[in-house]
């Protein structure tokens, strides 16, 4: 057995252990304690409880005062697993359906390679963040003093990608994942008998007009060169078959790749809701929140990641377009530049967030080597 086979087996055992015992965001106490104990055994300096259940580990070598951070996420999803795997979740209604079990195991693999083989001069910090899926974990770690207690100048993250062949890496300069904004529009009028619409201020017709009008924000109010997705996903009223509703709630989700576009979508939504409400003599209230910010890769560092990954990947490609999914990693990039990249989970992989999805153990070594190669490339050379 080669060293690399042994490392792969070690990561696979960790990955399957995390997979069997998934934990929801901010509840990753068992995962965090396994992570902390494993890192201490490898000689890393470990701090637990950063932003709730987050873990930060530090390894300094040589004399350079440069520091870079590598990040993994630890949380699972409220999905009932249907993989039938021998290592399937033992917790009802919870599963690792996004591969964060794999991300955690492969960053531990990188921790082992960096501790045993070095190859850098400076400081490597490992960030194991909680609650990625809700977009809250990175903010919690930042609010807990991540940047002042464990300073670093660059940050890197890697996510598995179903459909991308094993051993392949892809990323791009600039926007790679979208912002996610949530909205809820409340229409208030006065309900009444379905036979007497003239006597009430019902909200069904204005609500339908509003759902249609919201579609003009992307098609008629944004520069065609800008990307946004606006989806109305729910329309709820207090009406019944023979009574017109006096209250309606319209909910949905908007995605974009810049703060300017997100602000424009919100402003247009407020203007249109106000206009339709006035036209129908009812009131409209718009609640608009930003759950995820857009993930914007630094162009120079995306290039550096692709160069570093080339040595340990079968193929490295530039993604032609950004994705409309969102990632909490973007919050770290509000503080330092960095790059987020995807590695192949194999062509046979079920999609992320599906009950039959499973992180591919054959991607573990590639992931660990990508993290290690980035750390070595971004710090001065060392023993
Ligand atoms: Zn996910
Ligand atoms: Zn994920």
């Amino acid at each position: 057995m080669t060293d690399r086979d042994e490392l792969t087996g070690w990561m696979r055992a960790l990955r399957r252990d995390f997979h069997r015992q998934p934990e929801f965001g901010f509840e990753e106490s068992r995962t965090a304690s396994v992570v902390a104990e494993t890192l201490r055994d490898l000689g890393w300096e470990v701090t637990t409880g950063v932003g709730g259940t987050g873990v930060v580990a530090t390894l300094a070598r040589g004399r350079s005062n440069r520091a870079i951070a590598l990040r993994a996420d630890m949380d699972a999803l409220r999905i009932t697993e249907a993989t039938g795997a021998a290592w399937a979740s033992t917790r009802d209604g919870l599963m690792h359906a996004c591969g964060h079990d794999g991300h955690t195991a492969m960053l531990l693999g990188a921790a082992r390679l960096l501790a045993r083989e070095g190859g850098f001069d400076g400081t490597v910090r490992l960030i194991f963040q909680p609650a990625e899926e809700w977009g809250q974990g990175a903010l919690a770690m930042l609010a807990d003093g991540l940047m002042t207690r464990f300073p670093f100048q660059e940050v890197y993250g890697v996510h598995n990608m179903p459909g991308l062949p094993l051993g392949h890496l892809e990323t791009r300069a600039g926007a790679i994942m979208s912002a996610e904004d949530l909205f809820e529009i409340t229409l208030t009028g006065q309900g009444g008998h379905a036979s007497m619409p003239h006597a009430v201020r019902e909200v069904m017709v204005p609500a339908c007009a509003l759902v249609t009008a919201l579609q003009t924000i992307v098609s008629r109010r944004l520069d065609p060169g800008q990307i946004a997705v606006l989806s109305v996903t729910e329309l709820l009223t207090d009406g019944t078959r023979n009574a017109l509703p006096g209250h309606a709630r319209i909910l949905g989700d908007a995605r974009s790749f810049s703060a300017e576009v997100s602000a424009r979508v919100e402003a247009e939504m407020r203007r249109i809701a106000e206009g339709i409400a006035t036209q129908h003599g009812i009131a409209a209230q718009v609640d608009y929140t930003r759950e995820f910010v857009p993930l914007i890769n630094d162009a120079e560092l995306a290039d550096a990641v692709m160069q570093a990954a080339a040595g340990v990947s079968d193929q490295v490609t530039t993604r032609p377009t950004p994705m409309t999914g969102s990632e909490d990693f973007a919050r770290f990039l509000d503080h330092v530049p960095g790059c987020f990249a995807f590695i192949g989970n194999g062509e046979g992989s079920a999609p992320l967030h599906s009950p039959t999805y499973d992180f591919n153990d054959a991607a573990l070594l590639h992931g660990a080597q990508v993290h290690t190669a980035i750390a070595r490339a971004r710090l001065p050379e060392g023993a």
Side-chain angles (χ1 to χ4, degrees), residues 177-181 254-258 262 292-295 324-326:
M177 298 196 75
S178 77
E180 183 187 14
D181 305 340
R255 313 256 171 164
S256 59
F257 294 96
S258 73
S262 166
F292 286 89
V293 295
L295 201 168
T324 48
S326 302

Side-chain angles (χ1 to χ4, degrees), residues 326-338:
S326 302
E327 242 295 340
D328 200 19
F329 179 81
R331 297 287 183 182
F332 299 115
L333 299 182
D334 284 344
H335 298 267
V336 290

Side-chain angles (χ1 to χ4, degrees), residues 24-365:
F24 195 65
F26 290 129
E27 293 168 9
E28 310 91 333
S29 48
R30 181 192 175 273
T31 308
S33 72
V34 172
V35 165
E37 198 177 315
T38 306
L39 290 166
R40 284 192 186 107
D41 285 349
L42 293 169
W44 290 72
E45 193 185 311
V46 178
T47 308
T48 56
V50 183
T53 40
V55 179
V56 179
T58 301
L59 186 65
R61 289 168 84 107
R63 312 168 55 100
S64 164
N65 51 20
R66 270 186 52 79
I68 66 118
L70 306 171
R71 170 275 201 179
D73 38 16
M74 303 188 290
D75 57 324
L77 286 152
R78 294 210 198 279
I79 293 176
T80 300
E81 180 157 357
T83 61
W87 52 90
S89 169
T90 56
R91 295 186 174 161
D92 269 357
L94 263 182
M95 83 172 278
H96 271 294
C98 204
H100 299 183
D101 50 344
H103 301 164
T104 300
M106 71 198 201
L107 190 54
L108 290 173
R112 208 173 100 159
L113 285 171
L114 290 165
R116 291 202 174 161
E117 300 173 8
F120 65 93
D121 182 349
T123 299
V124 180
R125 303 213 193 264
L126 306 180
I127 301 170
F128 292 84
Q129 82 153 80
E132 187 285 322
E133 296 286 356
W134 316 359
Q136 295 298 318
L139 284 176
M141 292 187 85
L142 290 160
D144 203 3
L146 179 75
M147 301 309 302
T148 47
R149 293 164 66 195
F150 312 99
F152 50 86
Q153 290 113 38
E154 296 169 11
V155 63
Y156 299 90
V158 177
H159 202 293
N160 77 95
M161 173 77 85
L164 187 68
L166 283 170
H168 287 215
L169 177 137
E170 63 173 37
T171 187
R172 73 193 303 271
I176 184 162
M177 298 196 75
S178 77
E180 183 187 14
D181 305 340
L182 298 183
F183 60 85
E184 178 169 346
I185 305 172
T186 308
L187 299 182
T188 309
Q190 192 199 344
H193 204 287
S195 68
M196 301 181 69
H198 60 287
V200 298
R201 292 279 182 201
E202 71 93 10
V203 296
M204 181 60 87
V205 169
C208 293
L210 182 51
V211 170
T212 306
L214 290 175
Q215 298 311 308
T216 65
I217 296 177
V218 174
S219 67
R220 289 297 177 266
R221 304 308 306 161
L222 289 185
D223 179 329
Q226 291 172 325
I227 305 170
V229 180
L230 189 150
S231 296
V232 174
T233 53
E234 287 177 87
L235 167 54
L236 309 162
T237 77
D238 62 350
T240 186
R241 196 186 58 78
N242 58 3
L244 291 162
H247 295 92
R249 288 162 63 220
I250 296 167
L251 292 89
D253 166 297
R255 313 256 171 164
S256 59
F257 294 96
S258 73
E260 297 71 45
V261 172
S262 166
R264 186 73 192 272
V265 169
E266 178 183 356
E268 292 292 337
M269 182 175 291
R270 290 185 185 282
R271 189 181 61 78
I272 290 170
E274 194 63 32
I276 286 179
T278 305
Q279 185 190 344
H280 291 268
I282 59 169
Q285 189 195 320
V286 177
D287 290 308
Y288 196 97
T289 56
R290 292 182 171 81
E291 305 299 306
F292 286 89
V293 295
L295 201 168
I296 314 291
N297 279 339
D298 180 272
E300 199 179 307
L301 300 186
D303 202 48
V305 163
M306 292 178 81
Q307 281 184 32
V312 293
S313 305
D314 298 335
Q315 197 174 312
V316 173
T317 45
T318 302
R319 249 194 96 79
T321 53
M323 294 175 67
T324 48
S326 302
E327 242 295 340
D328 200 19
F329 179 81
R331 297 287 183 182
F332 299 115
L333 299 182
D334 284 344
H335 298 267
V336 290
C339 174
F340 194 69
F342 299 106
I343 60 165
N345 200 47
E347 286 141 307
S349 170
L352 297 173
H353 295 203
S354 134
T356 53
Y357 167 87
D358 195 20
F359 184 89
N360 192 335
D361 289 322
L364 286 168
L365 184 62

